[in-house]
Amino acid sequence: MSDTGGVREVKSAARTVELLEVLAARGDRPARLQELADELGVPRSSMYALLQTLISRGWVRTDVTGSLYGIGIHALLTGTSYLDSDPRVRIVRPYLDEASEALGETIHLGRLDGRDVAYLATRESHEYLRTISRVGRRLPAHAGALGKALLAERPDEAVPRGPFEPLTANTHTTRESLLTDLAATRERGYSIDREESVVGIAGFGFALRYDTPAQDAISCSVPVARLTPGHEERIVAVMREIRARIEGTTVGGAGAPHWR
C-alpha cells in the first residue's frame, strides 16, 4: 500500500489509479475486461462500471467491439502538463540540447520513481535514432546509467533487494554485484552501463545533486561500435561540465513550490 501519511486510503481512488497504471504498463497490448478484473482482484461488474466511467472522461479507450481496453488520451495530456509545469525539466532541457550538439549522441534526463527511472526528456542523436521516444517510459533503476547514478547517491541499505530482472546478459541480477558497481560509481563520480539495459548501447549517468539525495540524473547513450576510449573520455568531460552548470542554476523562483 502507498504511504498516505497516516490518512486512510480512498479505495475507489486507489483502484482507479491501479487500473490506469496496469493499462499504461501494457503499452500496445490492450486488455480484456476479465483480465483487468482478475489482475486487480475486483468483481467483473465493478470493473466494467469503472471502465465505462473512465472511457466517458477520456482516461481509457475501447475498440469498436467494446471488448478491448487501453490507456486514453487524457493520460497523455496530464503527462504533458507534468513535464511543462516542472521547473527543473524546463531548466535542464537547453543543457540536453547543448550536450547532444557537443557530443553527437543521445542525452536523457530521468527521475527516480520507486525502483524505476522515468524518462522526462530526451535529445536523440542524429547518428542513432530510436523509432519510439523514451519520454514517459520507465526502466528498472538497477539496469541503466540513470538509475545506477541515482542509486549510488543513497546508502547501501536503501538499495532495493534482489534478485533483479535481467534485461540483457550484462544486467546485474544480484544485489551484491549491483552494490559493487555502485561503490565504483561513487568513487569515479558517474555510472557506466555497458550493454546492461540495451544490447549494443553503453551509457554514462550523472546524478544532479540539487536534491539530497538526488532525484534526477542526466545520461549519454552511445552505440558501443562507436565508443572509442577517446570518445568515452570526451563524453565524461562534457557531461561533467554540463552537470556542474545545471547544479549551479537556481531552480524555481521565490514562492515556487518544492515538490516531493
Side-chain angles (χ1 to χ4, degrees):
M1 180 180 293
S2 300
D3 180 9
T4 56
V7 178
R8 181 174 58 85
E9 186 174 75
V10 179
K11 290 184 178 180
S12 59
R15 181 175 295 173
T16 300
V17 172
E18 289 168 0
L19 171 60
L20 293 173
E21 289 178 343
V22 166
L23 291 174
R26 292 179 66 93
D28 61 354
R29 297 179 297 110
R32 295 186 180 275
L33 173 61
Q34 193 61 55
E35 289 180 288
L36 296 171
D38 291 344
E39 183 158 354
L40 296 182
V42 301
R44 181 185 173 97
S45 59
S46 299
M47 178 56 65
Y48 180 77
L50 177 55
L51 285 166
Q52 295 308 308
T53 299
L54 293 174
I55 288 169
S56 69
R57 294 177 177 268
W59 284 92
V60 172
R61 58 180 172 175
T62 188
D63 70 332
V64 293
T65 69
S67 60
L68 296 174
Y69 301 93
I71 198 72
I73 195 170
H74 277 215
L76 170 63
L77 301 178
T78 300
T80 301
S81 177
Y82 176 89
L83 295 176
D84 290 344
S85 65
D86 189 288
R88 288 173 175 170
V89 175
R90 289 201 304 271
I91 285 172
V92 172
R93 277 172 173 160
Y95 291 101
L96 302 186
D97 293 333
E98 187 174 335
S100 183
E101 181 69 23
L103 295 170
E105 304 296 354
T106 298
I107 312 297
H108 302 290
L109 167 67
R111 180 166 294 165
L112 194 64
D113 181 25
R115 293 171 65 104
D116 298 332
V117 167
Y119 285 78
L120 303 182
T122 292
R123 296 297 180 265
E124 297 285 359
S125 166
H126 295 301
E127 302 292 332
Y128 176 76
L129 292 175
R130 290 185 179 86
T131 56
I132 301 176
S133 172
R134 276 198 174 180
V135 174
R137 296 176 182 273
R138 301 162 70 89
L139 188 72
H142 70 271
L146 289 169
K148 291 196 299 178
L150 292 168
L151 291 179
E153 294 294 304
R154 289 151 175 78
D156 285 353
E157 309 83 69
V159 175
R161 300 285 173 181
F164 302 116
E165 174 192 2
L167 301 186
T168 75
N170 296 325
T171 307
H172 291 292
T173 57
T174 68
R175 192 168 186 268
E176 290 71 24
S177 66
L178 177 61
L179 291 179
T180 299
D181 190 329
L182 298 182
T185 296
R186 294 183 190 108
E187 184 174 350
R188 77 171 76 91
Y190 61 93
S191 66
I192 302 177
D193 163 11
R194 298 197 188 276
E195 300 186 83
E196 295 169 34
S197 56
V198 180
V199 173
I201 299 295
F204 303 86
F206 300 76
L208 299 176
R209 299 176 179 128
Y210 42 56
D211 287 314
T212 304
Q215 299 297 319
D216 297 346
I218 56 174
S219 73
C220 176
S221 296
V222 54
V224 293
R226 203 162 63 234
L227 186 61
T228 64
H231 191 32
E232 179 171 334
E233 184 177 337
R234 175 160 168 73
I235 288 170
V236 172
V238 169
M239 294 299 287
R240 275 180 163 155
E241 179 187 353
I242 292 292
R243 170 171 64 182
R245 291 170 57 197
I246 293 172
E247 291 175 344
T249 303
T250 302
V251 179
H258 183 70
W259 300 107
R260 60 172 181 168

